[in-house]
Amino acid sequence: MASSKFLQELNTSQREAVEYLDGPMLVLAGAGSGKTRVLISKLGYLIDIGFAQPHEILAVTFTNKAANEMKQRVEKLLKRGLDGLWIGTFHSICARILRIEARHLGYTSDFTIYDVDDQIRLIQQLMVGMNMDTSVLKPRQVQYVISQSKNKLLGPKEFEERAGDFTERKIAQIYWEYEVAMRRNNAFDFDDLLIKPLEIFTQYPEILEKYQNKFKYVLVDEYQDTNRAQYYFIKYLSATHRHVCVVGDEDQSIYRWRGADIDNILNFEKDYPECKIVRLEQNYRSTKIILDAANAVVANNTRRLGKTLWSENKHGAQIEVYSTADENAEAHQVTEIIHNEVQQKGRNYNEIAVLYRTNAQSRALEDRFRRKNIPYIIVGGTKFYERKEIKDVLAYLRVLVNPRDSVALRRIINFPTRGIGPATLQKLEDYAFLHKVGLYQALLEVNENEAIPLSIKNKIIEFIETLEDLREKLTQLSAYEIAREVVDTFRLSAQYSHSDLLEDQARLENINELLNSIAEFSERNSGPEATLQKYLEDVSLITDIDRWDPSFSAVTLMTLHSAKGLEFPVVIITGNEDGLFPLFRSLSNDEELEEERRLFYVGMTRAKENLYLLWARQRRRFSGENSGMSFRNTPSRFLLEIPADFKSEFTDTSNELEYSYDQSYSQQRQRMDDYVVDMVEESQYKIGNWVKHPTFGKGQILAVNRSRTGTKLTVVFENKQIKKLIAEYANLELL
């Protein structure tokens, strides 16, 4: 339908991707190639020409924010609403299916979604009940292993069968108990949201068939970052009609660490032999220099389908690479760059982003920004919904919606303090265990519990009756009205309103902000979408980027992973050193190293006009056995992969001590740095030297550090193993 408004202003490749409707299609969308425009046009085109109605389309996006923007832009062009359209992230789509179908697995539709903190609290509780030492096997470690297992579609039975050592067998025991507890609490974790629909589809083929018939077209964004469960979810739903379009870029696959499998996009053609492949290779974002440099770097990867990005944009300024003395000199250089961009070039602060590999790197930057009065916002810092006072309010709301949520109930049962302490809680849980009921039911039956004194019973009765009264109002009041009544009834704001502490005032403001967000939710939605249950679901699935406001006049600080999908006129990437970016652990694994290179490519291609890359010749690190020690660094191999024609290099020769924060710290640092530097310079071992070890063979020195025990060397050997050795005892031969 050539007259469709959704084909206007598209280039040839974009139009081809939008118009093709004859079967599976893979759209390889290079960075800055107009992918969002193609997705919006494709969605609108399907409806505009009558190929499918909104309720017959499933569109999966990377963030909820992207989903809302896509829907709004299509509605504006069509001049009609898109009622019935299923659009959102994998997690929100799967949660929607589970609200409808969870009863088939023994859950009710008012289930709770647990975040990582909830999971760790539950695992901690289970381990204590199993008499396991939580200081040896930490609940956070157990949560991580369970999550990784679920990402691989391994349930407790499969995990137990594969458990090799003592620790894994212990985790297998906890995994079993965890699954039982989650069902008892009527709760799903984030991984469950993805795998439970698959369980329903495989156990109840008629339900799968219902959704296969419902969705005539399946559209998936960021396909390169799908994991195994997401892969099967799309495969199942598109198996009948095979009208599936996936959009992605293998060069931007950066989530292997959380289960993403690049093979999903690399093998799409094997899964769908009849598929059409369209490459979007014209870049509309970056200057030619930035684009050519990024292409040169990522070309060093082998796991690629291949694209040649090109641009009609201006040639642009060269990439500037700065070598600085240490992390504080690096932060100083960043502020100088920002000052120049704002004062000399007339930039707004919100046109500038500072990116880094790890969150810990923001400390020196933040300190320097505050001293120089540079406004900034951090994406991925302390998340609003993870603050204590916010989680307290949400826990009350969760219990009202799902009384079986024992994690939330344990959080609020004695907050604010009402005399129901740990001893009483244990008696309640003993009763619940003996009578095979949940904790909430044990509260309702407290008069039957002879182990609890009458005075405490009265407090419990007052608490549970208040909750029951509020539960009765769930169908009568709006989400905001319920939340307001909870805050007032349980005096959650009053905890902080009479305090002069700035921290308490901030908490009070945060509670008010939460109430504002619930009020906006109630005003924005109506009918089934306006319930407290729906609000809690939306909150549980929100991401850092969903809350980020790019219009705020401030420099954005974020990790490279958080920057995915964004763009800025000016991008500054810090910490470009081997061992930090790429991380040390990736140097011994080719697949991990390629992912680090893809992450560097993603960072480079966020820049529209100016790109600055910085590295520190020495950096203090606060983790592991060498915590607090200054490490001598070499520039990241990724910097060396940028052709010389595309970059200008500068070396900061200033005294790094100039950038210290107070005199006492400066003096301590000077003593430590003089000790480290002098001893390292005296050593016969240098970074980059090749050595031979009698057991491990040939290797190259990555780091040299001096401690009281001797010269510590970090060496990567030819078998890709990384070893830390004491030079004086390692019997090394310099080659």
Side-chain angles (χ1 to χ4, degrees):
M1 183 176 176
S3 61
S4 173
K5 61 177 71 71
F6 291 97
L7 298 178
Q8 297 173 7
E9 299 181 4
L10 299 179
N11 66 33
T12 303
S13 297
Q14 292 172 335
R15 180 166 180 152
E16 184 181 15
V18 170
E19 287 188 294
Y20 185 78
L21 300 172
D22 294 333
M25 177 168 62
L26 168 61
V27 180
L28 290 174
S33 62
K35 178 193 69 172
T36 301
R37 171 179 285 183
V38 169
L39 287 166
I40 291 169
S41 299
K42 185 81 175 182
L43 178 58
Y45 184 72
L46 289 167
I47 299 168
D48 196 30
I49 68 170
F51 186 89
Q53 294 303 307
H55 67 274
E56 297 173 321
I57 299 172
L58 172 63
V60 187
T61 60
F62 191 63
T63 65
N64 295 304
K65 188 174 184 179
N68 293 331
E69 290 176 355
M70 276 181 63
K71 184 179 179 183
Q72 290 168 8
R73 288 170 68 176
V74 172
E75 285 177 334
K76 184 176 180 180
L77 286 168
L78 286 174
K79 297 180 180 178
R80 55 172 282 198
L82 296 181
D83 296 337
L85 173 68
W86 283 51
I87 184 170
T89 63
F90 274 103
H91 287 89
S92 64
I93 294 293
C94 289
R96 187 171 177 179
I97 289 175
L98 287 172
R99 294 288 177 201
I100 301 169
E101 312 294 352
R103 67 185 187 278
H104 296 287
L105 297 178
Y107 294 78
T108 64
S109 61
D110 57 2
F111 60 80
T112 300
I113 300 172
Y114 279 4
D115 63 16
V116 172
D117 180 62
D118 296 323
Q119 291 176 263
I120 292 171
R121 282 172 176 260
L122 178 59
I123 290 168
Q124 168 95 19
Q125 178 188 341
L126 293 172
M127 291 178 69
V128 170
M130 298 167 73
N131 293 317
M132 291 187 180
D133 189 345
T134 57
S135 65
V136 176
L137 179 58
K138 297 187 181 302
R140 183 174 293 277
Q141 176 189 354
V142 175
Q143 183 277 330
Y144 176 79
V145 173
I146 290 175
S147 178
Q148 290 296 303
S149 299
K150 289 187 176 186
N151 266 310
K152 298 172 185 174
L153 302 183
L154 300 177
K157 182 175 183 294
E158 293 80 12
F159 181 83
E160 186 176 51
E161 290 170 350
R162 290 166 171 76
D165 57 26
F166 175 79
T167 300
E168 288 182 346
R169 290 194 293 273
K170 285 291 183 185
I171 293 175
Q173 295 175 30
I174 301 167
Y175 195 173
W176 279 110
E177 293 299 320
Y178 173 80
E179 289 296 281
V180 171
M182 291 292 285
R183 185 179 296 273
R184 185 170 59 242
N185 289 359
N186 194 38
F188 293 122
D189 59 36
F190 286 130
D191 299 305
D192 288 333
L193 293 181
L194 301 178
I195 64 178
K196 295 300 182 183
L198 299 183
E199 289 183 21
I200 294 172
F201 290 164
T202 53
Q203 293 176 27
Y204 300 92
E206 68 277 10
I207 296 177
L208 172 59
E209 185 178 358
K210 177 179 74 173
Y211 287 99
Q212 287 175 332
N213 293 334
K214 173 180 176 56
F215 299 123
K216 289 185 177 179
Y217 204 92
V218 177
L219 183 61
V220 186
D221 189 17
E222 304 287 3
Y223 191 66
Q224 77 281 350
D225 286 323
T226 52
N227 63 19
R228 193 171 182 185
Q230 293 162 339
Y231 165 81
Y232 280 113
F233 182 76
I234 296 302
K235 190 173 184 179
Y236 286 169
L237 290 180
S238 61
T240 302
H241 55 71
R242 298 179 79 80
H243 285 133
V244 56
C245 170
V246 302
V247 181
D249 179 5
E250 80 282 11
D251 290 332
Q252 297 187 67
S253 179
I254 59 173
Y255 290 104
R256 182 176 182 268
W257 52 275
R258 70 180 191 192
D261 188 350
I262 193 174
D263 284 333
N264 292 347
I265 192 168
L266 295 179
N267 295 333
F268 186 82
E269 194 171 6
K270 293 180 181 178
D271 294 329
Y272 302 90
E274 76 277 30
C275 78
K276 183 178 184 64
I277 299 178
V278 176
R279 285 174 166 81
L280 304 183
E281 298 177 306
Q282 183 175 359
N283 176 285
Y284 294 92
R285 176 188 298 154
S286 304
T287 64
K288 290 180 179 177
I289 275 194
I290 293 173
L291 190 60
D292 289 345
N295 284 337
V297 171
V298 81
N300 289 282
N301 278 358
T302 58
R303 307 195 74 203
R304 304 181 67 211
L305 292 169
K307 294 178 301 300
T308 304
L309 298 190
W310 57 278
S311 176
E312 292 181 348
N313 292 344
K314 62 184 180 181
H315 191 68
Q318 285 198 310
I319 298 167
E320 295 187 18
V321 179
Y322 288 87
S323 166
T324 64
D326 64 2
E327 69 270 23
N328 297 312
E330 179 184 64
H332 169 77
Q333 186 61 54
V334 169
T335 61
E336 291 296 299
I337 292 169
I338 293 171
H339 179 80
N340 180 64
E341 289 287 344
V342 172
Q343 300 298 326
Q344 304 301 319
K345 299 183 182 179
R347 300 273 192 202
N348 192 303
Y349 285 115
N350 63 9
E351 295 181 277
I352 304 170
V354 181
L355 311 181
Y356 35 78
R357 181 62 182 85
T358 66
N359 278 308
Q361 292 170 249
S362 72
R363 192 273 309 165
L365 294 165
E366 289 185 74
D367 286 346
R368 195 70 188 176
F369 280 25
R370 284 193 290 265
R371 292 178 66 196
K372 291 294 186 179
N373 295 316
I374 295 176
Y376 69 92
I377 52 175
I378 294 184
V379 176
T382 302
K383 300 175 179 65
F384 179 78
Y385 292 102
E386 291 182 4
R387 290 180 166 90
K388 178 192 179 299
E389 62 276 13
I390 301 302
K391 290 185 78 75
D392 289 337
V393 177
L394 293 178
Y396 273 95
L397 302 181
R398 280 167 46 176
V399 170
L400 296 184
V401 170
N402 175 23
R404 290 163 57 184
D405 184 349
S406 69
V407 171
L409 184 53
R410 284 172 61 90
R411 185 181 187 104
I412 67 172
I413 197 167
N414 200 39
F415 180 83
T417 304
R418 55 178 61 90
I420 309 175
T424 302
L425 178 58
Q426 187 59 56
K427 292 172 184 176
L428 288 165
E429 290 184 330
D430 290 343
Y431 177 93
F433 178 79
L434 183 64
H435 293 83
K436 294 182 172 56
V437 297
L439 180 57
Y440 192 90
Q441 189 62 32
L443 293 176
L444 290 172
E445 298 176 11
V446 68
N447 278 327
E448 309 300 320
N449 194 329
E450 297 179 356
I452 298 178
L454 180 61
S455 60
I456 303 296
K457 283 183 179 180
N458 290 334
K459 294 176 181 178
I460 293 173
I461 290 169
E462 180 184 358
F463 173 60
I464 197 68
E465 285 182 349
T466 305
L467 289 176
E468 284 290 283
D469 289 343
L470 287 166
R471 277 178 49 74
E472 289 179 6
K473 297 178 181 179
L474 281 175
T475 56
Q476 304 164 20
L477 303 179
S478 70
Y480 169 73
E481 290 169 330
I482 287 287
R484 178 82 263 178
E485 192 156 339
V486 163
V487 169
D488 292 341
T489 300
F490 292 105
R491 298 179 58 79
L492 301 182
S493 290
Q495 293 286 307
Y496 312 111
S497 59
H498 301 298
S499 171
D500 293 328
L501 295 175
L502 289 176
E503 180 183 4
D504 287 342
Q505 290 301 309
R507 285 178 169 172
L508 181 61
E509 291 172 5
N510 288 334
I511 291 175
N512 290 333
E513 177 60 27
L514 176 66
L515 291 172
N516 288 338
S517 78
I518 301 175
E520 290 173 4
F521 169 85
S522 296
E523 293 169 3
R524 193 171 59 246
N525 295 280
S526 60
E529 296 295 304
T531 64
L532 182 58
Q533 177 194 85
K534 184 65 171 66
Y535 174 80
L536 291 172
E537 179 181 309
D538 288 354
V539 165
S540 68
L541 300 177
I542 204 165
T543 65
D544 297 331
I545 295 300
D546 290 329
R547 286 186 56 82
W548 175 62
D549 181 4
S551 65
F552 186 66
S553 183
V555 175
T556 297
L557 273 64
M558 64 173 76
T559 65
L560 285 133
H561 283 97
S562 295
K564 177 76 175 293
L566 305 179
E567 60 180 38
F568 301 87
V570 179
V571 169
I572 305 167
I573 304 178
T574 63
N576 294 287
E577 300 126 32
D578 262 12
L580 181 57
F581 192 23
L583 294 174
F584 265 130
R585 66 169 180 261
S586 70
L587 301 179
S588 60
N589 184 302
D590 289 341
E591 289 189 6
E592 288 189 15
L593 182 59
E594 290 210 352
E595 175 142 320
E596 291 284 299
R597 186 177 283 111
R598 290 193 294 268
L599 186 58
F600 187 72
Y601 172 81
V602 166
M604 294 180 74
T605 55
R606 299 312 93 197
K608 297 170 70 174
E609 298 173 20
N610 294 95
L611 176 61
Y612 300 91
L613 306 172
L614 291 82
W615 69 280
R617 298 185 294 278
Q618 183 169 302
R619 186 179 299 272
R620 191 178 298 274
R621 297 181 190 171
F622 291 86
S623 63
E625 61 180 9
N626 295 321
S627 185
M629 180 169 285
S630 291
F631 284 73
R632 301 296 290 263
N633 302 311
T634 56
S636 169
R637 62 196 61 202
F638 304 149
L639 295 181
L640 305 180
E641 291 171 359
I642 299 174
D645 292 346
F646 302 143
K647 62 187 177 184
S648 297
E649 300 188 66
F650 305 90
T651 298
D652 167 24
T653 57
S654 302
N655 181 355
E656 59 262 42
L657 298 179
E658 173 189 345
Y659 310 111
S660 298
Y661 299 105
D662 57 65
Q663 187 60 30
S664 61
Y665 174 72
S666 173
Q667 291 169 347
Q668 294 173 23
R669 177 191 175 123
Q670 187 164 7
R671 286 196 297 270
M672 171 63 97
D673 287 356
D674 287 348
Y675 173 69
V676 172
V677 174
D678 289 346
M679 296 305 290
V680 168
E681 287 176 349
E682 289 175 10
S683 171
Q684 61 178 315
Y685 299 101
K686 308 294 182 186
I687 294 173
N689 284 168
W690 283 88
V691 294
K692 185 176 182 180
H693 187 275
T695 301
F696 305 124
K698 288 177 61 178
Q700 188 174 25
I701 297 174
L702 299 177
V704 181
N705 293 284
R706 186 72 176 173
S707 71
R708 292 180 180 86
T709 57
T711 305
K712 291 187 176 182
L713 306 179
T714 303
V715 183
V716 58
F717 290 95
E718 289 184 327
N719 61 0
K720 304 298 184 182
Q721 282 189 309
I722 295 179
K723 298 290 183 181
K724 292 185 177 181
L725 308 169
I726 302 296
E728 287 78 1
Y729 308 106
N731 195 19
L732 292 172
E733 176 188 350
L734 268 172
L735 300 179

